[in-house]
Amino acid sequence: MNDLIPPYESILERIATAAKRSGRHPDDVTLIAVSKTHGADVVRDAVAAGMTIFGENKVQEAAWKIPLSPSCARWQLIGHLQTNKARQAVRLFETIHSVDSVKLFDTLEQAARQTGARPEIYLEVNVSGELTKFGLTPEKVPALVEHILEQGQALTLTGLMTMAPFDPEPEHARPHFAKLRALRDQLESQFGIALPHLSMGMTGDFEVAVEEGATDVRIGTALFGARPKMTRPTLDVDTTSGIL
Ligand SMILES: *Cc1c(COP(=O)(O)O)cnc(C)c1O
């Protein structure tokens, strides 16, 4: 289990160095350990090593993993969410990074009112225009923000999230991250609201993301190694991790 500690500490150091390089405080950046595809045994080791916040991209996978994991672990949904999982999602996650439509927001809002759960929500923005990506185009974001400000009672919008296109050169991600930050600044002044969270940066590009203002970096591979390949998430994870 101690194998986890050196990568964790070196990632924290790299985050801190990137933060200082850009005149920011290391504490302003939160590491979300992306545990998707890994079993609860990996989460347990990660908690023992000091990690506290975990990112999952599938509601069903989180639903079996969370009860098997230490109760001090906190969970955030970073992957695409379908409306039929909204009710489960508001109960499982403290933050949902992937709100990208009026319909999804309305369903989450209703689920929050009914269940009493109050996750923070971020809007997922497809700043690169890549067709394979989920998320709103930047042009569509203001209308959804307006809708949320009018209709949101239970849920509060606190940030934006994006994924840069896959590219082995981290510098190529910089303009996408800068664009998300500029959009955030524009929304804050247009609507007079605070959007303190910028969820951006993964294993390949988190230092650049921190330099561009990321407050939430979502890191999986650099902490836990390559992910096991899965076709049927729940079954295959249970088998490969040997926990059930
Ligand atoms: C899997 C995933 C990550 C983590 O990716 P790594 O490259 O393994 O760090 C981050 N964000 C989202 C939305 C993901 O689905």
Side-chain angles (χ1 to χ4, degrees), residues 34 36 57 78-79 161 163 201-204 218-222 227:
V34 177
K36 67 186 188 196
N57 69 337
I78 61 172
M161 182 271 237
M163 280 172 93
M202 310 174 23
T203 290
R218 312 176 306 262
I219 300 178
T221 310
R227 281 181 284 276

Side-chain angles (χ1 to χ4, degrees), residues 7 37 39 41 49 60 66 68 80 82 87 98 106 112 196 211 236:
T37 77
D41 51 340
Q60 264 159 332
I66 292 172
L68 299 173
H80 183 65
Q82 288 169 326
R87 220 181 148 77
S98 49
D106 287 347
E211 288 170 9
D236 288 1

Side-chain angles (χ1 to χ4, degrees):
M1 113 181 165
N2 288 340
D3 324 343
L4 278 172
I5 296 173
Y8 176 52
E9 298 209 320
S10 78
I11 298 293
L12 287 182
E13 255 174 55
R14 286 169 61 189
I15 290 171
T17 306
K20 286 180 203 150
R21 215 168 26 235
S22 52
R24 305 181 60 213
H25 196 284
D27 291 350
D28 295 341
V29 185
T30 300
L31 169 61
I32 299 171
V34 177
S35 48
K36 67 186 188 196
T37 77
H38 297 288
D41 51 340
V42 171
V43 177
R44 265 192 298 276
D45 288 349
V47 166
M51 292 172 235
T52 52
I53 304 178
F54 294 88
E56 289 288 330
N57 69 337
K58 293 197 169 83
V59 173
Q60 264 159 332
E61 185 181 334
W64 66 254
K65 193 179 300 182
I66 292 172
L68 299 173
S69 299
S71 58
C72 62
R74 293 159 49 191
W75 299 88
Q76 304 198 356
L77 182 67
I78 61 172
H80 183 65
L81 176 60
Q82 288 169 326
T83 49
N84 62 1
K85 307 258 167 54
R87 220 181 148 77
Q88 234 182 332
V90 300
R91 290 172 181 271
L92 292 170
F93 298 104
E94 64 173 18
T95 306
I96 296 174
H97 293 232
S98 49
V99 177
D100 63 358
S101 70
V102 167
K103 184 172 165 228
L104 178 57
F105 174 79
D106 287 347
T107 313
L108 288 167
E109 171 69 24
Q110 191 186 18
R113 288 184 201 177
Q114 287 167 354
T115 61
R118 294 290 183 266
E120 289 188 32
I121 57 166
Y122 303 169
L123 299 185
E124 180 171 356
V125 187
N126 179 352
V127 285
S128 68
E130 252 194 326
L131 293 174
T132 52
K133 293 262 185 292
F134 290 110
L136 296 146
T137 60
E139 299 71 42
K140 292 199 166 145
V141 174
L144 182 52
V145 172
E146 197 169 344
H147 175 83
I148 291 172
L149 293 177
E150 279 166 9
Q151 303 299 323
Q153 289 171 18
L155 294 179
T156 310
L157 174 67
T158 58
L160 302 179
M161 182 271 237
T162 200
M163 280 172 93
F166 176 77
D167 192 311
E169 173 49 57
E171 278 301 325
H172 292 168
R174 191 180 295 278
H176 305 295
F177 297 148
K179 210 167 155 188
L180 192 73
R181 188 191 53 204
L183 176 63
R184 187 273 307 272
D185 294 348
Q186 180 211 311
L187 295 166
E188 284 189 330
S189 64
Q190 182 177 347
F191 293 99
I193 54 172
L195 295 172
H197 290 279
L198 284 178
S199 169
M200 55 192 198
M202 310 174 23
T203 290
D205 55 23
F206 68 89
E207 286 153 305
V208 172
V210 169
E211 288 170 9
E212 293 300 325
T215 59
D216 303 38
V217 292
R218 312 176 306 262
I219 300 178
T221 310
L223 291 168
F224 303 124
R227 281 181 284 276
K229 283 258 180 289
M230 299 188 308
T231 46
R232 288 165 304 154
T234 308
L235 281 177
D236 288 1
V237 164
D238 292 354
T239 316
T240 52
S241 63
I243 50 161
L244 288 180

